[in-house]
C-alpha cells in the first residue's frame, strides 16, 4: 500500500491502557497492551458450515479480528472442526445450557470458549473438568455475564442487573476457575443501558487484571445501537478500559465490524482508513449534498488506501475543508472545484464530480491498476 500523508489532525495521545494479563485467542493477543481487537458473531446456523464460513469471510474482509459462533445443538458442535479448520479468523464457541459442548469446542480446536455459568446447567460441578480440558489444550475461557441471563441468586440479592450484580457474578465465576489454578480468562459484563455497562466495567477494572471484552448488549437497530455503542465504548476506551470489543447491532455482522473499526480509528486505537468529510447542508447549498456524499461513499467503498475526502457544498467552508483533505470538492453553480493535497487542480461539471474524485484518488495513490479500485459511477464494478 502506498504511504500517504493524511490530511487528518494527528492524535495528540493514545489513551493510557489499563494493565492486564494477556490472553491468546488463536493468533490474536487480547490484553497486556495488545491492540484492541474487533469481534462479531455469525448469524447463520453454525451447522450450515458453508454459510457460516461465507459470513466469516465477509467479516474478515471488513476488518474483524475474532469471530464467535453459537453452539446450541449437537449438530452445531459437530460442525465446529470443519469451521475451525477453514476459518481465517480465530473462532470462539458460544456455549449456553449444555456443558458438554464446552468439551466438544475444545476438542474441535476452537481458539476460545465463551461460557455463561448463570445459565449452564450443573456448571458448578463441572468447572474442574472444564479447567483441566481448557488448560491442556491452551484454550482460554471467556466469562460472559449479560443482564438478561444473570444468575437467579444474584438477581434475588440485588433486585435487578445492577453494575454491582454484574461484577459480583463475573468475579464469582472467575473464582471457580481460580480454585483450579486456571486464570486464562477474559471477562465481559454487558447491559443494554450504556450507563450501567460503563459503571460495571469501571468497577470490574478496579477489582481484577483480567482483559475485558466490551459491548452494549442488545444495543438496538443500526442507528440507535451504533450511537449507544460509540458512547459507551468510546468513554471506556478513552479511560484505557477494554481490550476487545463487539458492537451488538440488530444489523448484519459486517455492519457491526465496520462500526467497531470506526470507533477504534476515531480514538486513534486503529490505523485510520478512508474517511469522507461532508457538510450537513444549509440554505446556501446549490447542490444536493446528501445525495452527492452518498454517491462518493458508495463509489469508494472498499478503496484500499487511507485517504481523507472532503465533499463540501458551498464557498463558506468548502474550499478550506477541501484544502485540508487529501482530496476534496467544493460545489456551486453546477460545478465542482477539485482539490488534491491543498491545491485546486481542475473544475468539472457536477455530474462528473464522483468520476473525477476517483481518477484523482488513483493518481494520488499511484495505483492506476489497483484491482480493488472502484469503477466509475454507472459502470459495473
Amino acid at each position: 500500500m502506498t504511504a500517504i500523508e493524511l490530511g487528518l489532525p494527528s492524535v495528540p495521545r493514545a489513551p493510557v491502557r489499563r494493565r492486564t494479563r494477556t490472553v491468546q485467542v488463536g493468533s490474536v493477543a487480547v490484553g497486556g497492551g495488545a491492540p484492541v481487537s474487533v469481534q462479531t458473531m455469525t448469524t447463520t446456523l453454525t451447522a450450515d458450515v458453508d454459510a457460516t464460513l461465507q459470513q466469516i469471510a465477509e467479516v474478515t474482509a471488513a476488518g474483524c479480528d475474532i469471530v464467535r459462533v453459537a453452539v446450541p445443538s449437537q449438530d452445531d458442535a459437530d460442525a465446529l472442526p470443519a469451521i475451525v479448520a477453514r476459518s481465517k479468523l480465530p473462532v470462539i464457541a458460544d456455549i449456553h445450557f449444555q456443558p458438554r459442548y464446552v468439551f466438544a469446542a475444545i476438542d474441535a480446536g476452537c481458539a476460545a470458549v465463551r461460557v455463561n455459568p448463570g445459565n449452564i446447567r450443573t456448571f458448578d460441578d463441572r468447572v474442574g473438568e472444564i479447567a483441566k480440558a481448557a488448560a491442556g489444550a491452551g484454550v482460554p475461557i471467556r466469562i460472559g455475564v449479560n443482564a438478561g441471563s444473570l444468575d437467579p441468586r444474584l438477581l434475588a440479592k440485588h433486585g435487578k442487573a445492577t453494575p454491582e450484580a454484574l461484577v459480583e457474578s463475573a468475579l464469582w465465576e472467575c473464582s471457580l476457575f481460580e480454585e483450579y489454578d486456571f486464570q486464562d480468562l477474559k471477562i465481559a459484563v454487558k447491559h443494554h443501558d450504556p450507563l450501567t455497562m460503563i459503571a460495571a466495567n469501571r468497577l470490574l477494572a478496579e477489582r481484577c487484571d483480567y482483559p475485558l471484552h466490551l459491548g452494549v448488549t442488545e444495543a438496538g437497530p443500526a442507528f440507535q445501537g451504533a450511537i449507544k455503542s460509540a458512547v459507551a465504548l468510546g468513554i471506556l476506551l478513552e479511560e484505557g478500559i477494554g481490550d476487545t470489543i463487539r458492537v451488538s447491532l440488530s444489523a448484519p455482522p459486517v455492519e457491526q465490524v465496520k462500526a467497531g473499526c470506526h470507533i477504534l480509528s476515531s480514538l486513534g486505537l486503529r490505523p485510520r482508513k478512508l474517511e469522507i468529510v461532508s457538510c450537513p447542508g444549509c440554505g446556501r447549498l446549490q447542490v444536493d449534498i446528501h445525495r452527492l456524499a452518498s454517491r462518493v461513499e458508495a463509489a469508494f467503498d472498499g478503496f484500499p488506501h487511507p485517504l481523507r475526502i472532503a465533499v463540501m457544498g458551498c464557498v463558506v467552508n468548502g474550499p478550506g475543508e477541501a484544502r485540508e483533505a487529501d482530496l476534496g470538492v467544493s460545489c456551486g453553480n453546477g460545478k465542482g472545484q477539485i482539490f488534491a493535497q491543498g491545491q485546486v487542480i481542475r473544475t468539472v461539471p457536477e455530474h462528473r464530480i464522483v468520476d473525477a474524485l476517483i481518477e484523482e484518488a488513483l493518481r494520488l495513490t499511484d495505483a492506476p491498476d489497483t484491482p480493488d479500485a472502484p469503477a466509475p459511477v454507472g459502470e459495473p464494478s
Side-chain angles (χ1 to χ4, degrees):
M1 180 179 294
T2 305
I4 301 170
E5 186 65 30
L6 291 180
L8 290 166
S10 60
V11 178
R13 64 176 181 83
V16 177
R17 301 280 300 284
R18 163 179 168 266
R19 291 189 177 185
T20 75
R21 61 185 70 205
T22 303
V23 168
Q24 195 68 36
V25 182
S27 59
V28 178
V30 176
V36 179
S37 54
V38 175
Q39 300 188 24
T40 190
M41 190 172 183
T42 57
T43 57
T44 56
L45 290 175
T46 304
D48 188 339
V49 173
D50 289 340
T52 301
L53 286 168
Q54 174 61 35
Q55 199 167 78
I56 291 175
E58 292 168 358
V59 300
T60 302
C64 190
D65 301 301
I66 299 169
V67 69
R68 185 156 45 109
V69 300
V71 188
S73 73
Q74 187 62 51
D75 288 343
D76 299 315
D78 292 341
L80 289 175
I83 292 171
V84 169
R86 295 164 60 187
S87 171
K88 291 185 178 181
L89 297 181
V91 176
I92 297 177
D94 191 78
I95 311 294
H96 296 270
F97 304 115
Q98 295 294 344
R100 70 176 184 273
Y101 297 148
V102 175
F103 302 103
I106 293 171
D107 291 340
C110 288
V113 176
R114 181 272 175 114
V115 297
N116 185 338
N119 63 17
I120 288 189
R121 300 186 185 100
T122 68
F123 177 84
D124 294 8
D125 298 332
R126 307 294 297 276
V127 172
E129 296 175 66
I130 292 172
K132 182 178 179 180
V139 174
I141 300 290
R142 174 186 144 193
I143 301 295
V145 179
N146 279 11
S149 53
L150 190 63
D151 190 298
R153 292 169 290 186
L154 291 171
L155 272 177
K157 176 181 177 180
H158 292 273
K160 60 179 181 179
T162 64
E164 293 77 13
L166 295 171
V167 171
E168 183 177 343
S169 176
L171 293 179
W172 170 71
E173 291 157 9
C174 288
S175 73
L176 298 179
F177 284 95
E178 291 166 349
E179 289 180 7
Y180 296 93
D181 199 29
F182 186 89
Q183 297 183 348
D184 198 10
L185 302 168
K186 58 191 178 82
I187 308 176
V189 288
K190 295 186 177 183
H191 198 284
H192 66 270
D193 174 59
L195 296 179
T196 302
M197 176 267 194
I198 291 169
N201 279 278
R202 283 174 172 164
L203 183 59
L204 187 59
E206 293 175 354
R207 297 183 57 184
C208 74
D209 66 349
Y210 290 118
L212 303 184
H213 170 71
L214 303 183
V216 178
T217 192
E218 290 93 38
F223 179 75
Q224 173 182 288
I227 292 174
K228 290 167 65 175
S229 297
V231 168
L233 272 60
I235 288 173
L236 289 169
L237 290 168
E238 177 60 21
E239 295 177 1
I241 298 172
D243 304 284
T244 180
I245 66 171
R246 181 191 178 193
V247 180
S248 299
L249 307 177
S250 297
V254 165
E255 298 306 312
Q256 300 179 21
V257 172
K258 289 179 179 179
C261 291
H262 277 296
I263 289 171
L264 294 184
S265 64
S266 297
L267 292 167
L269 293 171
R270 179 168 284 216
R272 297 177 186 267
K273 295 185 178 181
L274 185 136
E275 179 182 0
I276 296 175
V277 175
S278 59
C279 60
C282 71
R284 296 189 299 266
L285 297 189
Q286 296 178 336
V287 65
D288 185 345
I289 196 67
H290 300 156
R291 179 173 179 271
L292 177 59
S294 296
R295 291 176 61 214
V296 172
E297 182 180 37
F300 280 89
D301 185 37
F303 193 75
H305 299 281
L307 291 175
R308 182 177 187 245
I309 302 175
V311 182
M312 306 301 295
C314 80
V315 297
V316 175
N317 293 319
E321 288 285 358
R323 287 192 184 95
E324 289 295 317
D326 300 295
L327 282 176
V329 59
S330 182
C331 303
N333 298 320
K335 299 177 182 179
Q337 198 172 43
I338 306 296
F339 291 75
Q341 296 186 310
Q343 303 296 321
V344 177
I345 55 173
R346 57 172 159 154
T347 300
V348 298
E350 186 177 311
H351 72 275
R352 281 278 301 150
I353 287 174
V354 177
D355 290 351
L357 289 173
I358 292 170
E359 293 163 6
E360 296 304 328
L362 294 175
R363 186 175 294 114
L364 182 61
T365 56
D366 193 27
D369 298 322
T370 301
D372 294 331
V377 174
E379 296 182 19
S381 58

